[in-house]
mmCIF file of all heavy atoms in Angstrom:
data_model
loop_
_atom_site.group_PDB
_atom_site.id
_atom_site.type_symbol
_atom_site.label_atom_id
_atom_site.label_comp_id
_atom_site.label_asym_id
_atom_site.label_seq_id
_atom_site.Cartn_x
_atom_site.Cartn_y
_atom_site.Cartn_z
ATOM 1 N N LEU A 545 4.872 46.238 -26.182
ATOM 2 C CA LEU A 545 3.647 45.778 -26.822
ATOM 3 C C LEU A 545 3.162 46.789 -27.864
ATOM 4 O O LEU A 545 2.737 46.415 -28.965
ATOM 5 C CB LEU A 545 2.570 45.562 -25.757
ATOM 6 C CG LEU A 545 1.211 45.063 -26.257
ATOM 7 C CD1 LEU A 545 1.363 43.719 -26.956
ATOM 8 C CD2 LEU A 545 0.226 44.960 -25.097
ATOM 9 N N CYS A 546 3.258 48.074 -27.522
ATOM 10 C CA CYS A 546 2.851 49.117 -28.471
ATOM 11 C C CYS A 546 3.744 49.111 -29.698
ATOM 12 O O CYS A 546 3.283 49.266 -30.840
ATOM 13 C CB CYS A 546 2.893 50.493 -27.803
ATOM 14 S SG CYS A 546 1.634 50.721 -26.524
ATOM 15 N N GLU A 547 5.052 48.915 -29.477
ATOM 16 C CA GLU A 547 5.988 48.884 -30.600
ATOM 17 C C GLU A 547 5.710 47.687 -31.501
ATOM 18 O O GLU A 547 5.758 47.779 -32.737
ATOM 19 C CB GLU A 547 7.410 48.843 -30.064
ATOM 20 C CG GLU A 547 8.469 48.913 -31.167
ATOM 21 C CD GLU A 547 9.870 48.955 -30.589
ATOM 22 O OE1 GLU A 547 10.005 48.998 -29.338
ATOM 23 O OE2 GLU A 547 10.819 48.941 -31.391
ATOM 24 N N LEU A 548 5.396 46.529 -30.899
ATOM 25 C CA LEU A 548 5.079 45.339 -31.680
ATOM 26 C C LEU A 548 3.798 45.544 -32.491
ATOM 27 O O LEU A 548 3.716 45.172 -33.672
ATOM 28 C CB LEU A 548 4.936 44.143 -30.730
ATOM 29 C CG LEU A 548 4.583 42.795 -31.381
ATOM 30 C CD1 LEU A 548 5.667 42.392 -32.379
ATOM 31 C CD2 LEU A 548 4.394 41.728 -30.322
ATOM 32 N N SER A 549 2.800 46.164 -31.877
ATOM 33 C CA SER A 549 1.550 46.421 -32.597
ATOM 34 C C SER A 549 1.785 47.373 -33.761
ATOM 35 O O SER A 549 1.201 47.229 -34.844
ATOM 36 C CB SER A 549 0.514 47.011 -31.635
ATOM 37 O OG SER A 549 0.266 46.109 -30.570
ATOM 38 N N TYR A 550 2.656 48.364 -33.556
ATOM 39 C CA TYR A 550 2.958 49.309 -34.635
ATOM 40 C C TYR A 550 3.649 48.608 -35.801
ATOM 41 O O TYR A 550 3.333 48.847 -36.976
ATOM 42 C CB TYR A 550 3.840 50.428 -34.081
ATOM 43 C CG TYR A 550 4.334 51.393 -35.135
ATOM 44 C CD1 TYR A 550 3.476 52.362 -35.676
ATOM 45 C CD2 TYR A 550 5.645 51.321 -35.600
ATOM 46 C CE1 TYR A 550 3.927 53.238 -36.641
ATOM 47 C CE2 TYR A 550 6.102 52.189 -36.568
ATOM 48 C CZ TYR A 550 5.231 53.162 -37.089
ATOM 49 O OH TYR A 550 5.686 54.028 -38.052
ATOM 50 N N ASP A 551 4.593 47.700 -35.491
ATOM 51 C CA ASP A 551 5.287 46.970 -36.552
ATOM 52 C C ASP A 551 4.318 46.090 -37.332
ATOM 53 O O ASP A 551 4.388 45.999 -38.569
ATOM 54 C CB ASP A 551 6.408 46.111 -35.955
ATOM 55 C CG ASP A 551 7.525 46.989 -35.380
ATOM 56 O OD1 ASP A 551 7.620 48.175 -35.792
ATOM 57 O OD2 ASP A 551 8.280 46.492 -34.514
ATOM 58 N N GLU A 552 3.402 45.423 -36.603
ATOM 59 C CA GLU A 552 2.432 44.571 -37.281
ATOM 60 C C GLU A 552 1.517 45.401 -38.187
ATOM 61 O O GLU A 552 1.196 44.997 -39.319
ATOM 62 C CB GLU A 552 1.609 43.807 -36.246
ATOM 63 C CG GLU A 552 2.421 42.767 -35.486
ATOM 64 C CD GLU A 552 1.586 42.074 -34.427
ATOM 65 O OE1 GLU A 552 0.432 42.536 -34.228
ATOM 66 O OE2 GLU A 552 2.058 41.092 -33.812
ATOM 67 N N GLU A 553 1.100 46.556 -37.698
ATOM 68 C CA GLU A 553 0.225 47.401 -38.508
ATOM 69 C C GLU A 553 0.956 47.926 -39.742
ATOM 70 O O GLU A 553 0.391 47.986 -40.858
ATOM 71 C CB GLU A 553 -0.268 48.574 -37.655
ATOM 72 C CG GLU A 553 -1.246 49.475 -38.385
ATOM 73 C CD GLU A 553 -1.745 50.594 -37.500
ATOM 74 O OE1 GLU A 553 -1.348 50.661 -36.311
ATOM 75 O OE2 GLU A 553 -2.530 51.416 -38.000
ATOM 76 N N LYS A 554 2.219 48.270 -39.569
ATOM 77 C CA LYS A 554 3.016 48.758 -40.697
ATOM 78 C C LYS A 554 3.191 47.665 -41.739
ATOM 79 O O LYS A 554 3.095 47.902 -42.956
ATOM 80 C CB LYS A 554 4.372 49.226 -40.188
ATOM 81 C CG LYS A 554 5.259 49.832 -41.266
ATOM 82 C CD LYS A 554 6.550 50.327 -40.661
ATOM 83 C CE LYS A 554 7.455 50.922 -41.739
ATOM 84 N NZ LYS A 554 8.753 51.403 -41.135
ATOM 85 N N THR A 555 3.415 46.436 -41.302
ATOM 86 C CA THR A 555 3.592 45.312 -42.234
ATOM 87 C C THR A 555 2.316 45.048 -43.020
ATOM 88 O O THR A 555 2.333 44.805 -44.225
ATOM 89 C CB THR A 555 4.005 44.053 -41.452
ATOM 90 O OG1 THR A 555 5.196 44.334 -40.714
ATOM 91 C CG2 THR A 555 4.258 42.901 -42.393
ATOM 92 N N SER A 556 1.182 45.124 -42.313
ATOM 93 C CA SER A 556 -0.092 44.872 -43.013
ATOM 94 C C SER A 556 -0.386 45.961 -44.038
ATOM 95 O O SER A 556 -0.925 45.689 -45.118
ATOM 96 C CB SER A 556 -1.217 44.786 -41.975
ATOM 97 O OG SER A 556 -1.341 46.002 -41.264
ATOM 98 N N LEU A 557 -0.022 47.175 -43.767
ATOM 99 C CA LEU A 557 -0.240 48.266 -44.722
ATOM 100 C C LEU A 557 0.633 48.079 -45.965
ATOM 101 O O LEU A 557 0.196 48.327 -47.099
ATOM 102 C CB LEU A 557 0.034 49.621 -44.064
ATOM 103 C CG LEU A 557 -0.967 50.104 -43.020
ATOM 104 C CD1 LEU A 557 -0.476 51.376 -42.344
ATOM 105 C CD2 LEU A 557 -2.327 50.324 -43.652
ATOM 106 N N LEU A 558 1.866 47.653 -45.769
ATOM 107 C CA LEU A 558 2.739 47.438 -46.914
ATOM 108 C C LEU A 558 2.240 46.304 -47.817
ATOM 109 O O LEU A 558 2.293 46.376 -49.036
ATOM 110 C CB LEU A 558 4.162 47.107 -46.411
ATOM 111 C CG LEU A 558 4.912 48.275 -45.746
ATOM 112 C CD1 LEU A 558 6.250 47.783 -45.161
ATOM 113 C CD2 LEU A 558 5.171 49.388 -46.754
ATOM 114 N N LYS A 559 1.683 45.244 -47.163
ATOM 115 C CA LYS A 559 1.158 44.144 -47.954
ATOM 116 C C LYS A 559 -0.069 44.578 -48.751
ATOM 117 O O LYS A 559 -0.227 44.195 -49.905
ATOM 118 C CB LYS A 559 0.797 42.972 -47.020
ATOM 119 C CG LYS A 559 2.025 42.265 -46.438
ATOM 120 C CD LYS A 559 1.580 41.098 -45.583
ATOM 121 C CE LYS A 559 2.778 40.352 -45.009
ATOM 122 N NZ LYS A 559 2.389 39.226 -44.163
ATOM 123 N N SER A 560 -0.918 45.374 -48.121
ATOM 124 C CA SER A 560 -2.130 45.807 -48.833
ATOM 125 C C SER A 560 -1.789 46.737 -49.995
ATOM 126 O O SER A 560 -2.421 46.713 -51.044
ATOM 127 C CB SER A 560 -3.097 46.501 -47.851
ATOM 128 O OG SER A 560 -2.465 47.642 -47.288
ATOM 129 N N SER A 561 -0.792 47.601 -49.832
ATOM 130 C CA SER A 561 -0.410 48.506 -50.923
ATOM 131 C C SER A 561 0.255 47.743 -52.062
ATOM 132 O O SER A 561 0.120 48.098 -53.230
ATOM 133 C CB SER A 561 0.546 49.578 -50.392
ATOM 134 O OG SER A 561 1.728 48.990 -49.865
#
Side-chain angles (χ1 to χ4, degrees):
L545 181 60
C546 292
E547 184 176 357
L548 179 60
S549 300
Y550 174 76
D551 293 339
E552 292 177 353
E553 183 178 359
K554 183 177 179 181
T555 303
S556 61
L557 289 173
L558 291 174
K559 289 182 179 179
S560 60
S561 60

